[in-house]
Amino acid sequence: MTTPIDFKAQLIAEFQLNETRLNGESRSSLHQRRRLALSRFEQLGFPTIRHEEWKYSNVKNLVSQEFNITPSAEISHDHLTSLEIPNLAGNILYFINGQYQPQLSTIVSPADEVEILTFAEGYKKYPALVEEHFAKYADDSNDAFTALNTAFAQYGAFIHVTKGKVVEAPIILRFISDARTENVAVQLRNLIIVEERASLKVAESFRTLGEFASFTNTVTEAFLGKEANYDHYKVQDESEKAFHIGTTQVHHNDKALSYDTTVTLNGGWVRNNLNLVMGGEYVEAHLTGLYLPNGKQHIDNHTLVDHAMPNSYSNELYKGIMFDKSTGVFNGKIFVREDAQKTNAYQSCKNVLASPDATMNTKPQLEIYADDVKCSHGTTTGQMDEEALFYLQSRGIPKDKGRALLMLAFAEDVVEKIKIPAIREYLESAIAKKVGEV
Amino acid sequence: MLKIENLQASIGEKQILKGINLEVKPGEVHAIMGPNGSGKSTLASVLAGREDYDVTGGSVLFEGKDLLELAPEERAAEGIFLAFQYPVEIPGVSTTNFLKTALNEIRKYQGQEPLDAVSFLKRMKEKMKLVNIDQSLLSRSLNEGFSGGEKKRNEVFQMAMLEPKLGILDETDSGLDIDALRIVAEGVNTLRDGERSFIVVTHYQRLLDYIVPDFVHVLYKGRIVKSGTKELALELEEKGYDWIKAEVDALV
Ligand SMILES: Nc1ncnc2c1ncn2[C@@H]1O[C@H](COP(=O)(O)OP(=O)(O)OP(=O)(O)O)[C@@H](O)[C@H]1O
Ligand SMILES: [Mg+2]
């Protein structure tokens, strides 16, 4: 028997090894920030289920695995054909085990409209801008995975839209874990800056190749200037052996408008954090999510909407269809701070248990410190609507097909929010396939 | 066409149908009347194949086939249509889309090719006119937020689209204003072609003024206790059910 490798120690050692290769950069303020993050990670350690935020999501199986934390990325276009999204157009960037693959990628938007770089390139080219925003929004003081991610920030995308620019073509970031030959662990860090009155649609797509385990720890920070218009979609279709922990952090200024949609088609063990902080007034934010776990998949969505300023609006809708022995978690926090008068905040989470062995834990958490606000929340978890199913059958639609039709209709409220047609269509057909087969 | 013999059905421990006998021949219209809770909707549901009910005895033959052996969708494909007393709201599925799926599933069962888009639209237009239903209603989610009358009209529209051999209308007249009632009844009458049969469950003579039945039956406590021609309905309209109840209850 080999002694189990200590994942935490392995990561810290890798950080230190990395540092020796940095030369001049090690004195940069970016790196000082990484160091701070590492010390936080060291102190926090991986959370256990005794931690309130991790009560239903146990990382034990994740941290006890052995991963190559510096996996290589050698792949040709042929390996990716099975992962392609039909008719996808726009800026499409491939990252294999975190490393950007220019030969597989297409950038169509002119640089004066939007700057699309890797995180490392972005820092080289715009150090001041990166330092102004990096790690300013995603809080790593109490979150081990964000701390870890901040410490290793290097792989991922840097996207910058300057004042008033409307980016016509969407940006699709395709993150592929290549687990064909070994267990791989990857840390992804994206920084997205959308300045005043600028507009951007960006999608993150997560896929796995191969049968080995993968661990993706990803953080995307978005800064939205005044009246910025931002659509962000996260689409996950990973393997049964994939662990995914991700934080999407959005910081709004006055009158910014955001749509965040998270769709989890598949993934062995998934934790998504979506945190919105409204640092301005008259912000409008939409959060939607859909998850369809089957088998023994575990999908946890934690959301936080922080109404820090008055006169803003947030609307949240999460939906789940739980198959087989899958487990799900929804935790939705809404904070309305003392100053945030005239806040409108709505939250709803609806789940269908398609199997008696599936479980769903929901926890809305509203903390309201202002008095002139409109807030509502509701969660439902129930069986398939048998009356509706009989109605469809009585019109000649076979039971399985009727069930699939109802599930598709249930999912559509979320899918329709996606404004990149190729992704919406891909999801519709993937969902139809999944609900028809499971 | 339809032959029901000594049909008994219960839900849980409670027996609701206690031996129904009824024969419907091609082209006939049978009205079923009877007090609330007597089992009319239960009979309709059992014929359509609702699984909540246990059939504990008796038989139902539809065109010689054992209906009780078939799944609800197979019964629909064989030509049975139930217009629900309480049509179900289905968010996210438009009537149009739903009907296209239903129609093509039925065609598949019958070994026919799916209807092409042009023929489907043509049929839609034709049947919409028949029940005076608006396109905007059909593009909305099925029955969601429809008024009571709109739901009922949508049921008849669906029946017209699917062209069943036997239409079972469960109180399709209730909730309709007088104009809608006339439209719905005319729609049904247009579908009467000498072959297609109907079972019409109703509480009101006013529907039977438009859809003139060949036979009228009174269902009470899970049995057909009286059968007659259209004159029986008029008599019920005049005298109510008490005299029938008294007759039946005296026997027990
Ligand atoms: N799902 C059920 N669970 C328990 N009892 C039921 C159920 N469905 C029907 N019943 C009972 O069966 C009896 C017959 O009901 P049914 O709906 O068939 O009556 P009906 O003749 O259609 O009445 P109405 O004229 O009010 O529509 C009633 O006593 C009713 O309460
Ligand atoms: Mg009834």
Side-chain angles (χ1 to χ4, degrees):
Chain A
M1 217 184 110
T2 53
T3 35
I5 164 150
D6 181 346
F7 193 30
K8 185 179 163 190
Q10 185 195 1
L11 287 159
I12 292 168
E14 176 59 28
F15 182 90
Q16 284 157 353
L17 181 67
N18 255 339
E19 247 181 353
T20 62
R21 302 192 196 115
L22 281 177
N23 303 322
E25 202 192 303
S26 65
R27 281 187 305 277
S28 69
S29 80
L30 176 89
H31 191 69
Q32 295 310 312
R33 186 65 188 81
R34 287 181 181 138
R35 266 201 184 146
L36 170 65
L38 188 83
S39 70
R40 285 174 170 170
F41 168 67
E42 244 184 302
Q43 221 157 45
L44 290 165
F46 291 114
T48 67
I49 53 169
R50 283 192 299 278
H51 192 300
E52 188 55 31
E53 295 300 318
W54 296 88
K55 200 168 159 188
Y56 299 108
S57 292
N58 198 341
V59 302
K60 187 184 76 207
N61 289 338
L62 161 63
V63 301
S64 61
Q65 300 243 8
E66 214 169 307
F67 292 100
N68 183 347
I69 58 175
T70 53
S72 62
E74 280 156 39
I75 207 157
S76 74
H77 192 267
D78 295 346
H79 296 115
L80 298 175
T81 46
S82 65
L83 305 182
E84 256 162 32
I85 297 173
N87 307 318
L88 195 61
N91 304 287
I92 307 171
L93 285 79
Y94 276 90
F95 295 82
I96 310 294
N97 288 342
Q99 296 176 41
Y100 179 55
Q101 309 291 311
Q103 79 287 3
L104 301 173
S105 304
T106 324
I107 291 183
V108 296
S109 293
D112 66 352
E113 195 178 278
V114 56
E115 190 93 61
I116 308 171
L117 303 167
T118 65
F119 183 87
E121 285 168 352
Y123 181 60
K124 217 173 267 166
K125 207 161 164 187
Y126 304 102
L129 188 63
V130 170
E131 279 164 9
E132 185 187 336
H133 294 288
F134 170 69
K136 292 293 190 300
Y137 313 114
D139 181 12
D140 62 343
S141 62
N142 199 23
D143 182 321
F145 291 100
T146 302
L148 178 64
N149 183 285
T150 305
F152 279 87
Q154 178 179 7
Y155 296 128
F158 167 88
I159 298 168
H160 180 208
V161 193
T162 50
K163 251 186 194 171
K165 296 285 183 192
V166 174
V167 183
E168 297 293 344
I171 298 173
I172 297 102
L173 306 174
R174 305 217 62 196
F175 297 110
I176 318 266
S177 291
D178 181 1
R180 285 174 304 164
T181 56
E182 58 182 344
N183 292 353
V184 296
V186 175
Q187 317 246 9
L188 302 165
R189 182 73 174 215
N190 304 304
L191 180 59
I192 299 173
I193 300 159
V194 187
E195 290 187 7
E196 265 181 70
R197 298 186 323 280
S199 165
L200 176 73
K201 287 186 189 63
V202 53
E204 295 182 48
S205 143
F206 294 89
R207 300 294 300 261
T208 335
L209 270 181
E211 300 297 317
F212 284 86
S214 63
F215 169 39
T216 304
N217 181 25
T218 174
V219 174
T220 297
E221 283 183 295
F223 170 88
L224 309 184
K226 284 182 185 166
E227 293 177 54
N229 207 318
Y230 176 64
D231 276 73
H232 175 259
Y233 315 126
K234 181 169 179 178
V235 179
Q236 298 163 291
D237 188 1
E238 296 182 89
S239 80
E240 295 301 312
K241 288 193 183 158
F243 294 89
H244 180 112
I245 296 180
T247 292
T248 301
Q249 187 80 35
V250 183
H251 182 87
H252 298 85
N253 283 286
D254 287 351
K255 298 182 187 169
L257 166 64
S258 70
Y259 287 86
D260 273 281
T261 300
T262 306
V263 179
T264 311
L265 289 171
N266 285 295
W269 192 99
V270 177
R271 165 65 171 262
N272 294 316
N273 302 309
L274 172 59
N275 304 328
L276 271 54
V277 178
M278 298 176 172
E281 292 191 52
Y282 300 100
V283 167
E284 181 179 329
H286 300 261
L287 303 79
T288 39
L290 176 71
Y291 36 94
L292 315 153
N294 67 301
K296 288 185 174 175
Q297 295 177 359
H298 174 79
I299 298 175
D300 176 347
N301 279 289
H302 268 60
T303 66
L304 164 65
V305 182
D306 188 348
H307 282 270
M309 301 279 276
N311 294 309
S312 289
Y313 168 91
S314 67
N315 196 346
E316 177 168 13
L317 172 67
Y318 270 69
K319 288 185 142 188
I321 307 177
M322 316 290 300
F323 298 97
D324 305 335
K325 293 187 171 170
S326 62
T327 51
V329 180
F330 173 78
N331 180 299
K333 292 188 189 64
I334 297 177
F335 295 155
V336 182
R337 309 277 176 188
E338 211 174 327
D339 292 337
Q341 299 296 359
K342 309 267 183 217
T343 287
N344 283 299
Y346 306 100
Q347 180 190 89
S348 164
C349 175
K350 299 179 180 169
N351 302 285
V352 174
L353 297 178
S355 145
D357 302 322
T359 50
M360 182 70 208
N361 280 297
T362 56
K363 186 176 177 193
Q365 225 176 310
L366 274 62
E367 292 182 23
I368 299 168
Y369 303 101
D371 43 32
D372 184 13
V373 301
K374 281 196 197 120
C375 288
S376 74
H377 68 92
T379 61
T380 57
T381 299
Q383 319 292 320
M384 192 74 197
D385 183 351
E386 292 294 326
E387 272 296 305
L389 193 55
F390 175 65
Y391 191 75
L392 297 179
Q393 283 181 276
S394 77
R395 300 303 183 245
I397 301 172
K399 197 168 189 170
D400 287 351
K401 195 151 191 172
R403 186 178 283 130
L405 197 70
L406 292 175
M407 288 179 179
L408 215 52
F410 178 81
E412 186 57 25
D413 286 351
V414 174
V415 177
E416 71 182 13
K417 295 287 188 293
I418 293 178
K419 292 171 208 137
I420 302 175
I423 295 188
R424 195 175 56 237
E425 284 155 22
Y426 151 75
L427 282 174
E428 278 164 354
S429 78
I431 294 167
K433 190 161 179 277
K434 179 154 187 175
V435 302
E437 280 172 2
V438 180
Chain B
M1 167 179 285
L2 180 75
K3 199 167 163 91
I4 305 174
E5 277 182 346
N6 192 28
L7 181 65
Q8 296 165 47
S10 48
I11 190 152
E13 293 291 285
K14 187 174 166 191
Q15 191 176 12
I16 301 170
L17 301 183
K18 297 175 183 162
I20 302 270
N21 294 293
L22 180 68
E23 181 163 6
V24 179
K25 298 209 169 78
E28 290 178 352
V29 174
H30 290 244
I32 295 185
M33 306 184 81
N36 294 129
S38 57
K40 305 181 297 295
S41 293
T42 302
L43 174 61
S45 298
V46 168
L47 293 177
R50 191 190 286 270
E51 282 163 7
D52 303 348
Y53 301 95
D54 297 322
V55 176
T56 52
S59 66
V60 181
L61 290 181
F62 182 66
E63 304 212 294
K65 283 191 183 134
D66 181 356
L67 195 68
L68 301 175
E69 284 293 301
L70 302 178
E73 61 269 23
E74 293 169 328
R75 300 181 194 200
E78 290 287 345
I80 288 188
F81 181 94
L82 169 63
F84 283 52
Q85 182 173 3
Y86 305 106
V88 185
E89 299 196 2
I90 305 188
V93 179
S94 73
T95 306
T96 308
N97 212 347
F98 154 69
L99 273 177
K100 197 181 284 166
T101 310
L103 195 63
N104 285 331
E105 286 296 331
I106 291 176
R107 291 175 71 91
K108 190 157 101 190
Y109 181 92
Q110 295 169 342
Q112 288 174 280
E113 290 293 306
L115 209 59
D116 63 82
V118 176
S119 317
F120 178 77
L121 284 178
K122 189 163 161 267
R123 193 192 286 209
M124 285 270 289
K125 285 233 171 67
E126 192 185 308
K127 309 295 184 182
M128 275 160 64
K129 222 185 281 163
L130 192 69
V131 290
N132 199 7
I133 203 165
D134 207 58
Q135 175 62 53
S136 64
L137 208 61
L138 302 181
S139 9
R140 275 165 56 183
S141 280
L142 188 52
N143 291 328
E144 196 181 33
F146 285 24
S147 73
E150 286 169 342
K151 284 181 184 167
K152 296 302 175 76
R153 216 184 293 189
N154 190 6
E155 294 291 288
V156 177
F157 171 68
Q158 291 175 34
M159 179 167 74
M161 284 295 290
L162 300 180
E163 300 181 336
K165 291 176 185 153
L166 171 66
I168 304 168
L169 282 72
D170 191 358
E171 296 198 27
T172 304
D173 53 336
S174 45
L176 292 181
D177 63 38
I178 191 69
D179 292 331
L181 180 77
R182 200 176 298 135
I183 292 164
V184 162
E186 276 167 16
V188 171
N189 284 333
T190 319
L191 295 173
R192 282 180 81 170
D193 58 0
E195 285 301 314
R196 186 170 289 126
S197 311
F198 292 91
I199 295 175
V200 181
V201 175
T202 181
H203 287 290
Y204 304 105
Q205 173 59 34
R206 58 170 204 174
L207 178 70
L208 304 179
D209 288 340
Y210 294 104
I211 307 176
V212 181
D214 299 298
F215 299 97
V216 175
H217 310 276
V218 179
L219 194 65
Y220 178 54
K221 291 189 174 170
R223 288 192 181 90
I224 290 179
V225 294
K226 206 162 199 69
S227 293
T229 53
K230 60 180 194 280
E231 286 73 25
L232 175 59
L234 290 166
E235 199 177 349
L236 291 170
E237 170 90 343
E238 201 181 307
K239 304 204 286 192
Y241 291 116
D242 284 353
W243 61 285
I244 294 184
K245 287 185 188 173
E247 268 181 37
V248 175
D249 293 339
L251 292 175
V252 232

